[in-house]
Amino acid sequence: MRMWTVVSRRPVRGGLLSVAVAGSLLLGATGCGGEGDEEGVPDDYKVVAGTQLCGGSAVSADAAKALKVITGSSRFEASGDEYSIEQAATLLATMYNTPHDRGGDICRIYTPLDTPDFDLRVTWSQVDPDAKGSPASKFTELKMGERTLAAADKADIQFGCKSGKVAGTGEVAHLEVGVEHWAMPTEPEDNVRALKEAYATVAHSFALAMAKELGCKNNGGLPAKPVLDPA
């Protein structure tokens, strides 16, 4: 849990401090460089463009623009070293079909210090394609992958991955990549359709990057560009 106080400058969030604790539980402890200043900001604190987040291969130019629609910012806290598509794909392949661990983090995205708080969580999970059910009314289903659902605060993309890295020969791993605003639910004040399309665009970027990293046949059936047409 991240905590902060109401002061002129917020405590550092995510990529360089508290996120390292969460990452250490899965991949081993990671260190933070620099002693930091008197307000707790590490010397190596960085702010980067959206395309540089999460290892630099997860956020496309279109997704970076979509992040600005979602967060209102085009700059973000640099991601911790443990947050990348490469690390997440390795973890997914290791954990696939284990009885208890069927999901994990891909990345966390935070707006910089001295800007309004915004926390996006990007995750992967193993899913049962036959257990779809009816989506909640806030979701719009889009024509991507096995199933794509987009709302004004999150989007999930399911795709089938045929790859020797994940499942046995000839088997298809059914996976989901999700992007969610990590906050108390609120009614969106902005254009709902624009937000749904933005979340779907970011989710598509991460899902496609994951499919490529896992070596999924035909990129898991995902299109090269996000398809935002309702199903």
Side-chain angles (χ1 to χ4, degrees):
M1 176 181 295
R2 297 184 300 116
M3 299 180 65
W4 57 85
T5 55
V6 180
V7 292
S8 60
R9 191 173 192 180
R10 294 182 312 220
V12 175
R13 303 165 293 145
L16 297 174
L17 287 183
S18 59
V19 135
V21 176
S24 68
L25 298 177
L26 296 176
L27 300 172
T30 58
C32 296
E35 294 295 326
D37 61 22
E38 67 277 5
E39 293 181 325
V41 180
D43 294 336
D44 59 354
Y45 178 80
K46 294 180 181 179
V47 176
V48 300
T51 53
Q52 296 174 277
L53 292 167
C54 311
S57 63
V59 181
S60 66
D62 286 341
K65 294 176 183 177
L67 284 174
K68 187 172 183 179
V69 173
I70 293 169
T71 68
S73 178
S74 59
R75 307 286 289 177
F76 305 90
E77 288 188 2
S79 304
D81 291 340
E82 71 278 16
Y83 280 155
S84 69
I85 285 292
E86 293 80 8
Q87 298 257 32
T90 298
L91 187 62
L92 186 160
T94 301
M95 295 169 62
Y96 184 77
N97 265 344
T98 56
H100 303 295
D101 298 320
R102 299 171 67 87
D105 279 346
I106 297 175
C107 194
R108 299 288 181 93
I109 298 174
Y110 302 98
T111 46
L113 296 174
D114 293 330
T115 65
D117 285 311
F118 212 100
D119 178 351
L120 284 177
R121 184 180 183 186
V122 188
T123 59
W124 69 267
S125 58
Q126 182 180 339
V127 296
D128 180 355
D130 297 322
K132 291 182 178 179
S134 298
S137 60
K138 73 175 185 176
F139 289 102
T140 297
E141 188 167 358
L142 305 178
K143 297 178 181 179
M144 284 193 287
E146 294 180 333
R147 192 186 203 191
T148 297
L149 299 176
D153 60 352
K154 66 180 298 186
D156 301 309
I157 295 182
Q158 293 182 20
F159 62 98
C161 179
K162 189 174 182 180
S163 169
K165 292 183 179 180
V166 185
T169 303
E171 295 183 29
V172 177
H174 297 279
L175 307 172
E176 179 178 274
V177 169
V179 179
E180 182 176 4
H181 182 195
W182 205 243
M184 292 295 293
T186 58
E187 290 296 323
E189 298 177 358
D190 299 313
N191 186 300
V192 171
R193 179 177 177 179
L195 285 169
K196 287 184 177 183
E197 291 182 350
Y199 274 96
T201 297
V202 176
H204 166 268
S205 183
F206 276 94
L208 183 60
M210 178 67 86
K212 289 180 177 179
E213 184 64 29
L214 291 171
C216 302
K217 184 177 180 180
N218 296 326
N219 292 331
L222 296 170
K225 292 282 188 177
V227 176
L228 305 176
D229 300 324

